[in-house]
Amino acid sequence: MACNSGNCQSNCSQNEQVAQDDSIPAPTTGSDDGANNQQQQGVCLKCKVSPPISSGGGGSGDEARFCGDCFRTNLFGKFRLAVTSHAMITPSDNVLVAFSGGVASRVALQFVHDMQQRAQRNYEASKDRSLPVFGVGVAFVDESTVCSISNDEVEEAIQEMKSTVLELAPPVKQFHVVPSVSLYSSGSSDEKDRLMKLIGAVDDVTGKDDFLMHLRMWALQKVASENGYTKLVLGLCTSKIACHVIAATVKGQGYSLSADIQYVDARWQVPIVLPLRDCTAQELNILCRIDGFGSLKTLQLVNDHPSGINGLISSFVRLLQEENPSRESTIVRTAGKLTPFHFNRLPEINDSSVPLATLRRQKRYNLKPQESISSESFCPICNSPVINSDLPSCGSLKPFKFREFAASCCPSCQFQILPQDQSSMKEFYSLLPEGLVSRSKHKDNDNLDMLREQVQDCLLSNSDDET
Amino acid sequence: MEEGNTIAKRAGSRLCCLCNERKPALKRPKTLEQICRDCFYNVFEEEIHQVIVGNHLFKAGERVAIGASGGKDSTVLAYVMSELNRRHNYGLDLFLLSVDEGITGYRDDSLETVKRNEVQYGLPLKIVSYKDLYGWTMDEIVKVIGLKNNCTFCGVFRRQALDRGAAYLKVDKLVTGHNADDIAETVLLNILRGDVARLSRCTSITTGEDGPIPRCKPFKYTYEKEIVMYAYFKKLDYFSTECIYSPNAYRGFAREFIKDLERMR
């Protein structure tokens, strides 16, 4: 069958001939479009020298257009642009990379390492050694207590991860294995039981899935702050964010959606940054394949097959993506039109060791600061901002701490995570890790302190505590 | 929903939860309460009345056209509107307005249903057709553009056709039978397509206030399943086939997804 198109996916004879002849431009047959000519000649669109990743005509658009090196450069370019334009990583930072063993976090780890290596080389080459190199650590949350994977499989996976991290040196990186039970302060003997009971108390399948995700985040925050890390890097890519957008829409979590999908999320003690936000899962998969990273299959299974509504949404988005490859980006772009919160920008850096260019760049890309200090409350479970009108007034519920706690949670957590009847709720509250419970009290005080600082000079006496 | 679960458990005593007198005949999709038919009619009609009053949809003396396709939503809408208009003295002048897109095997049958509704509910009917207004039927359009994006053409033409029909009838307002399921699908669709402009408008209960004719959706919070249930129990006359071009519509993705979601929670 005569074939005029360079994008022809069927293995017609023209493509096979082209694949063999990659150094000598083959005579074009029919198409007069310049780009198509080069594809038919089996040459990367960018460097016009090497063959594309898949020269047989199959594979996705990018694989047929670019060679491995140019593809990698493109992808790293997106990562680097996100990092530099939002000042995600500065020389004085100590960055913790959350590593799940999945594709995205593997790429995040690799790219952060590449950036660190480059900084190290620059440091060694510079005469005055003025700019220190940022530190990098890696953390893996071990959920074997609460998941159905066998201990052996997890051990094996951890060993693989350890050796991966060892290979990514110099500079040396510390590897932290964070078991879920570490949320409970050390010393409690029944922490595993408490955790199992806590999770068992959540009836709803989707609620349980989400609750586990929130606990995972708290565990990461705990290890990051206890070990002096200043930033937490997550491998959240466009595809995962698109799923989150749909999830927030269908679960009625619209108010907090814009907080979760920005490049920077500084409401946490250790700010979270998403340098892979502009990369799709497909691109990351291609990179893993061509660079032979592979990924840890056992853990892949857990992470990529969420249950309940989250699983349904994953398959829905995958279906849409197959029907139109730009669907995920469109979804994220649409949600990006929502107004971000004031904490979706990093506080202005006052550090003199940070180069002026970085400061200027941060100012340019940083979102407009909001005039007033927001007195937002945050849900103690999922940390999403809660509209103050949703919360009852302070005085009424004080005697019963578990009721106060329940009332301070966001409507979504109240619906799908917290038990509905009083006695189960009381038990649920007693099983929570201490860190989660005490947080809800601290945040209110922080806001009050911030306001107090502003008016401190006009306050007369110390007995202004009418609360 | 959680309330509904505990109430449902109590209703093992086999009486309607609301009146506690009659035997339950159905489980209400919105709240999962087990209630009898009369209570269902009452809550259904009362909730719609509250939506109309709470959102100030109408003023006394207005002339209102009901977009009538002959399908379940518009038939139930016509029935409920005339019932509530009478019961609560809205003081409205109601009309039926129907659009003939020229889809053989679909629209010609549903128009017969609307003509019967005119007689059954005693509401004057006006039919506007694409052929008369634009010189094209949907069948002719599809022959030219193929089977994709049909809804886009039809939707644009329909809205203008409704405007023209409304102007002919000299009505002040148009009501349509868009239900909660429709609006949920529309929100999702607009997110998927990146249509931010529509996204910001599509959840309003009244739209087009700055246009030729405002339109409102009294069924905005009503579940599609409850509308079907109401039509079934009241034995209302409606045409139940889908548009023959709908299987190819993009909205189908969103609809399937929402149905799957409802099965899950």
Side-chain angles (χ1 to χ4, degrees):
Chain A
M1 186 165 83
C3 173
N4 281 334
S5 165
N7 282 324
C8 172
Q9 303 270 328
S10 64
N11 286 321
C12 63
S13 53
Q14 180 197 319
N15 277 339
E16 275 159 25
Q17 187 201 3
V18 160
Q20 288 159 11
D21 257 334
D22 54 16
S23 48
I24 308 161
T28 57
T29 45
S31 174
D32 38 18
D33 177 6
N36 267 343
N37 272 348
Q38 281 168 338
Q39 270 178 285
Q40 288 176 338
Q41 292 165 25
V43 177
C44 166
L45 271 183
K46 200 168 172 197
C47 62
K48 302 185 186 13
V49 172
S50 319
I53 300 172
S54 69
S55 27
S60 75
D62 277 355
E63 284 172 298
R65 280 193 284 267
F66 301 110
C67 66
D69 285 333
C70 289
F71 182 80
R72 190 184 304 106
T73 313
N74 279 350
L75 209 57
F76 185 74
K78 284 199 216 180
F79 169 87
R80 199 180 39 204
L81 180 64
V83 170
T84 51
S85 57
H86 294 87
M88 287 184 186
I89 301 176
T90 60
S92 54
D93 271 324
N94 204 6
V95 169
L96 182 65
V97 178
F99 187 52
S100 64
V103 167
S105 54
R106 180 66 186 88
V107 176
L109 179 57
Q110 185 66 42
F111 281 174
V112 169
H113 165 72
D114 289 343
M115 194 168 248
Q116 191 192 30
Q117 257 194 343
R118 209 168 290 202
Q120 179 74 28
R121 279 199 292 267
N122 290 341
Y123 175 77
E124 282 160 7
S126 75
K127 289 184 206 146
D128 55 2
R129 307 228 159 164
S130 56
L131 281 183
V133 179
F134 63 91
V136 176
V138 183
F140 166 67
V141 180
D142 173 8
E143 291 178 306
S144 49
T145 336
V146 296
C147 288
S148 48
I149 318 178
S150 72
N151 271 338
D152 292 335
E153 288 181 49
V154 177
E155 261 315 302
E156 200 187 311
I158 291 180
Q159 289 311 315
E160 270 190 61
M161 282 188 219
K162 268 199 186 129
S163 51
T164 305
V165 174
L166 273 173
E167 279 166 31
L168 290 173
V172 170
K173 299 165 184 45
Q174 201 180 353
F175 180 56
H176 308 265
V177 177
V178 189
S180 314
V181 292
S182 68
L183 278 170
Y184 294 95
S185 40
S186 49
S188 38
S189 52
D190 56 346
E191 32 185 54
K192 187 176 169 192
D193 273 333
R194 280 178 79 186
L195 186 62
M196 296 297 287
K197 274 202 198 131
L198 180 68
I199 302 200
V202 183
D203 290 325
D204 185 78
V205 174
T206 310
K208 201 186 296 246
D209 206 38
D210 285 353
F211 189 45
L212 281 170
M213 191 177 65
H214 302 318
L215 291 178
R216 202 179 305 146
M217 186 51 67
W218 290 119
L220 284 169
Q221 283 288 317
K222 187 160 192 252
V223 72
S225 58
E226 281 175 355
N227 289 278
Y229 290 100
T230 54
K231 298 272 168 59
L232 179 59
V233 168
L234 298 183
L236 274 180
C237 59
T238 304
S239 317
K240 280 267 153 67
I241 294 179
C243 291
H244 183 69
V245 170
I246 309 271
T249 307
V250 306
K251 291 176 191 168
Q253 296 166 343
Y255 180 69
S256 57
L257 174 59
S258 67
D260 304 328
I261 59 170
Q262 308 299 331
Y263 289 97
V264 171
D265 184 357
R267 72 192 124 143
W268 304 87
Q269 190 175 2
V270 179
I272 290 177
V273 294
L274 309 180
L276 290 182
R277 187 184 180 271
D278 298 321
C279 308
T280 62
Q282 195 182 43
E283 290 174 323
L284 299 174
N285 275 321
I286 294 173
L287 187 70
C288 274
R289 211 181 62 230
I290 63 177
D291 277 358
F293 290 156
S295 47
L296 301 169
K297 294 191 181 62
T298 29
L299 303 168
Q300 216 30 347
L301 277 166
V302 174
N303 292 326
D304 289 353
H305 288 82
S307 41
I309 291 182
N310 299 328
L312 182 64
I313 291 173
S314 285
S315 14
F316 179 57
V317 173
R318 210 173 314 134
L319 176 70
L320 292 176
Q321 182 74 3
E322 278 163 25
E323 181 261 341
N324 182 335
S326 60
R327 190 61 66 201
E328 285 167 350
S329 315
T330 307
I331 295 174
V332 174
R333 198 174 51 240
T334 310
K337 299 270 164 47
L338 291 167
T339 314
F341 286 83
H342 66 96
F343 47 73
N344 285 118
R345 56 196 295 274
L346 286 168
E348 303 274 315
I349 312 166
N350 285 321
D351 196 341
S352 53
S353 68
V354 172
L356 213 53
T358 309
L359 289 172
R360 259 186 263 125
R361 231 178 276 129
Q362 190 200 17
K363 276 199 160 61
R364 197 188 339 143
Y365 281 91
N366 240 345
L367 314 156
K368 284 200 189 67
Q370 285 189 349
E371 303 290 303
S372 53
I373 291 184
S374 163
S375 57
E376 249 142 20
S377 317
F378 295 89
C379 172
I381 295 184
C382 62
N383 208 26
S384 56
V386 181
I387 310 173
N388 277 322
S389 56
D390 278 351
L391 299 171
S393 59
C394 291
S396 49
L397 301 162
K398 280 281 192 293
F400 297 103
K401 293 208 174 120
F402 70 93
R403 273 198 222 152
E404 191 188 338
F405 177 84
S408 67
C409 289
C410 69
S412 178
C413 287
Q414 284 177 0
F415 175 70
Q416 67 171 6
I417 294 179
L418 299 184
Q420 296 304 311
D421 62 289
Q422 294 267 10
S423 53
S424 312
M425 178 61 221
K426 199 170 176 187
E427 208 200 322
F428 182 86
Y429 180 74
S430 68
L431 294 166
L432 284 169
E434 299 77 17
L436 251 76
V437 171
S438 55
R439 258 203 92 256
S440 62
K441 296 188 195 127
H442 281 158
K443 259 298 169 181
D444 288 335
N445 290 336
D446 281 348
N447 285 333
L448 213 53
D449 287 342
M450 253 197 307
L451 288 172
R452 194 202 169 95
E453 259 178 52
Q454 288 199 317
V455 299
Q456 186 72 51
D457 51 348
C458 296
L459 291 176
L460 284 177
S461 72
N462 269 334
S463 53
D464 55 348
D465 287 312
E466 284 174 12
T467 44
Chain B
M1 254 235 230
E2 305 312 310
E3 256 178 32
N5 276 331
T6 40
I7 291 173
K9 284 182 198 138
R10 263 187 256 136
S13 55
R14 299 287 186 82
L15 280 182
C16 163
C17 319
L18 295 176
C19 64
N20 267 315
E21 288 166 20
R22 294 175 281 267
K23 265 178 60 177
L26 59 117
K27 198 166 65 171
R28 203 186 161 193
K30 201 171 201 171
T31 56
L32 299 180
E33 290 167 325
Q34 293 190 348
I35 56 180
C36 64
R37 275 169 37 169
D38 287 323
C39 284
F40 175 60
Y41 298 152
N42 284 338
V43 289
F44 184 83
E45 291 159 5
E46 186 56 29
E47 275 177 17
I48 292 170
H49 170 63
Q50 287 306 322
V51 167
I52 290 176
V53 165
N55 290 280
H56 311 291
L57 293 186
F58 307 117
K59 286 198 277 289
E62 274 182 334
R63 291 164 66 92
V64 174
I66 301 174
S69 62
K72 56 171 174 20
D73 296 328
S74 49
T75 301
V76 173
L77 181 65
Y79 181 89
V80 171
M81 284 290 294
S82 37
E83 178 57 33
L84 292 179
N85 190 30
R86 187 189 54 79
R87 187 188 300 171
H88 295 280
N89 294 320
Y90 292 163
L92 302 173
D93 251 336
L94 295 175
F95 300 85
L96 289 176
L97 177 56
S98 199
V99 177
D100 177 10
E101 308 97 342
I103 302 179
T104 30
Y106 168 66
R107 191 47 82 202
D108 35 1
D109 288 336
S110 68
L111 278 179
E112 292 308 311
T113 312
V114 184
K115 287 181 190 150
R116 285 200 298 276
N117 286 340
E118 180 186 23
V119 175
Q120 289 157 351
Y121 306 144
L123 303 171
L125 166 68
K126 167 78 183 148
I127 301 178
V128 287
S129 81
Y130 283 8
K131 191 72 189 174
D132 291 338
L133 288 173
Y134 313 122
W136 285 82
T137 62
M138 267 320 286
D139 286 342
E140 288 164 3
I141 293 174
V142 172
K143 274 205 193 78
V144 174
I145 65 171
L147 285 171
K148 268 208 140 163
N149 295 327
N150 305 141
C151 296
T152 308
F153 283 81
C154 191
V156 172
F157 287 149
R158 182 203 312 282
R159 281 172 181 83
Q160 225 225 25
L162 283 172
D163 283 345
R164 300 239 205 139
Y168 177 87
L169 287 170
K170 295 193 185 30
V171 294
D172 306 304
K173 210 160 263 182
L174 193 57
V175 295
T176 50
H178 289 97
N179 57 46
D181 297 54
D182 291 328
I183 297 188
E185 285 163 23
T186 305
V187 169
L188 206 52
L189 222 53
N190 287 333
I191 291 178
L192 296 180
R193 292 183 137 170
D195 197 334
V196 180
R198 283 205 171 87
L199 194 56
S200 60
R201 295 191 304 252
C202 65
T203 53
S204 312
I205 196 167
T206 308
T207 49
E209 268 151 331
D210 49 352
I213 179 145
R215 305 134 182 274
C216 53
K217 308 176 174 75
F219 281 175
K220 181 184 172 195
Y221 299 102
T222 318
Y223 285 27
E224 184 168 18
K225 211 157 188 182
E226 297 209 341
I227 293 176
V228 175
M229 221 169 228
Y230 189 86
Y232 168 73
F233 280 115
K234 287 258 178 180
K235 298 189 178 29
L236 296 179
D237 180 10
Y238 70 91
F239 184 69
S240 59
T241 309
E242 281 198 354
C243 172
I244 55 178
Y245 298 122
S246 66
N248 308 301
Y250 196 65
R251 187 174 278 264
F253 280 115
R255 181 168 299 158
E256 266 313 299
F257 175 59
I258 288 180
K259 290 210 153 42
D260 289 336
L261 278 176
E262 280 191 308
R263 254 175 252 138
M264 210 165 265
R265 187 153 90 184

